[in-house]
Amino acid sequence: MSDSTQPIIFFDMDGTLLDLAFDDLIWNTKLPERHAETHQCSLEQSHALLHDFYQQHKHTLSWYSSTYWTEKVGVDVLQLQRDFKDKIAPRTGCFELLKTLQQQGYRCWLLTNADCAGLKLKLENVDLSPYFEVMISSEEIGYSKEFVEFWQILQSKHFFDPNNACLIDDTAPVLKGAEKFGIQHLITITQPSSLRAPRHALELEFTAINDLTTLLPILEQIQNKDVDVKTA
Ligand SMILES: [Mg+2]
């Protein structure tokens, strides 16, 4: 049963619903390997070159574009991802959370900086689609989620009330962009990639969860607070 006090929930994909280990593998290991093979250079040279590219383009739309990377580094990065698609995996509690939210009538949107091709590839391998009313790639919006414009354009296409919205995203600059726009509830992830050590919750600027089902009591709290404010 849906309830009007229920916040709308925006989920990031990579590092939030899906294990970022896949993307780490592709970008930090497999792409340098294939780049070195393709261009007949050393692995060290490929790592150094790609590292420079990553630094230049971080948080821009180009960073998230497989077309851009394919042109820039001369490796078909979409094909590279397809070659390792078996490694695409959900994070702990992903489906349990999504099923529960669906049963409880929450409206959920998937908002990703992955480009349309990347989103499609992930959805073909992990069946997230049945749980989302809206699924958007920032490529369609023209700005990445780090920018307030992303949220403005999103809202003009699909109306929502930022005062009753909750975003779960593993990337701090994205949460800050959303905060600037006025998204009320912001939550991050302690361990986006199972291949890396968890971050310390106390060092993160936003409320942090790891097992995704931990979101459920937080949502209850949010709604109880809203009721308190309204009846106070
Ligand atoms: Mg992410």
Side-chain angles (χ1 to χ4, degrees):
M1 257 245 296
S2 175
D3 172 335
S4 62
T5 64
Q6 282 180 335
I8 186 161
I9 308 177
F10 302 148
F11 282 102
D12 168 51
M13 183 171 67
D14 301 321
T16 298
L17 292 175
L18 302 185
D19 191 343
L20 200 64
F22 172 78
D23 309 271
D24 280 345
L25 173 80
I26 296 298
W27 296 97
N28 299 331
T29 306
K30 297 301 174 188
L31 182 57
E33 284 173 10
R34 199 160 285 186
H35 179 268
E37 277 165 33
T38 308
H39 299 287
Q40 297 288 300
C41 59
S42 73
L43 195 53
E44 288 69 30
Q45 285 170 324
S46 288
H47 271 294
L49 184 97
L50 291 168
H51 180 79
D52 283 351
F53 286 170
Y54 293 172
Q55 291 307 319
Q56 282 168 34
H57 300 288
K58 222 171 177 179
H59 303 302
T60 66
L61 262 196
S62 307
W63 166 263
Y64 300 105
S65 161
S66 28
T67 318
Y68 174 82
W69 284 108
T70 298
E71 280 170 17
K72 182 93 181 172
V73 303
V75 172
D76 184 342
V77 293
L78 200 60
Q79 185 55 47
L80 183 67
Q81 293 182 66
R82 276 195 210 105
D83 294 347
F84 294 94
K85 65 179 181 352
D86 294 350
K87 306 262 184 209
I88 301 174
R91 288 191 63 261
T92 312
C94 171
F95 283 105
E96 200 182 334
L97 172 68
L98 293 177
K99 280 177 190 157
T100 306
L101 293 177
Q102 191 172 57
Q103 281 160 6
Q104 295 183 359
Y106 280 92
R107 300 170 64 201
C108 297
W109 295 6
L110 184 67
L111 306 177
T112 180
N113 276 337
D115 63 3
C116 297
L119 171 61
K120 187 167 171 276
L121 176 81
K122 297 278 170 67
L123 294 178
E124 279 165 7
N125 290 279
V126 180
D127 197 13
L128 298 171
S129 325
Y131 305 97
F132 293 96
E133 163 184 295
V134 168
M135 290 188 289
I136 295 275
S137 156
S138 56
E139 188 184 21
E140 296 166 59
I141 301 285
Y143 288 90
S144 61
K145 293 185 290 180
E146 286 85 338
F147 294 87
V148 83
E149 287 88 344
F150 170 90
W151 301 96
Q152 290 164 344
I153 296 170
L154 175 70
Q155 196 192 35
S156 71
K157 291 189 173 204
H158 303 276
F159 185 76
F160 63 87
D161 174 10
N163 291 316
N164 197 25
C166 178
L167 169 67
I168 303 99
D169 199 301
D170 64 305
T171 301
V174 169
L175 292 162
K176 284 185 187 151
E179 188 173 43
K180 223 180 191 177
F181 176 73
I183 305 288
Q184 190 71 34
H185 306 287
L186 301 161
I187 291 162
T188 194
I189 301 287
T190 49
Q191 193 180 18
S193 166
S194 61
L195 291 179
R196 292 177 189 236
R199 305 181 287 183
H200 294 287
L202 290 175
E203 288 165 16
L204 296 167
E205 292 168 72
F206 300 93
T207 303
I209 61 171
N210 198 40
D211 181 321
L212 286 163
T213 55
T214 321
L215 184 67
L216 294 165
I218 296 178
L219 290 175
E220 253 173 61
Q221 261 180 15
I222 288 174
Q223 286 168 81
N224 290 338
K225 254 189 223 154
D226 281 356
V227 171
D228 288 349
V229 169
K230 279 170 195 150
T231 55

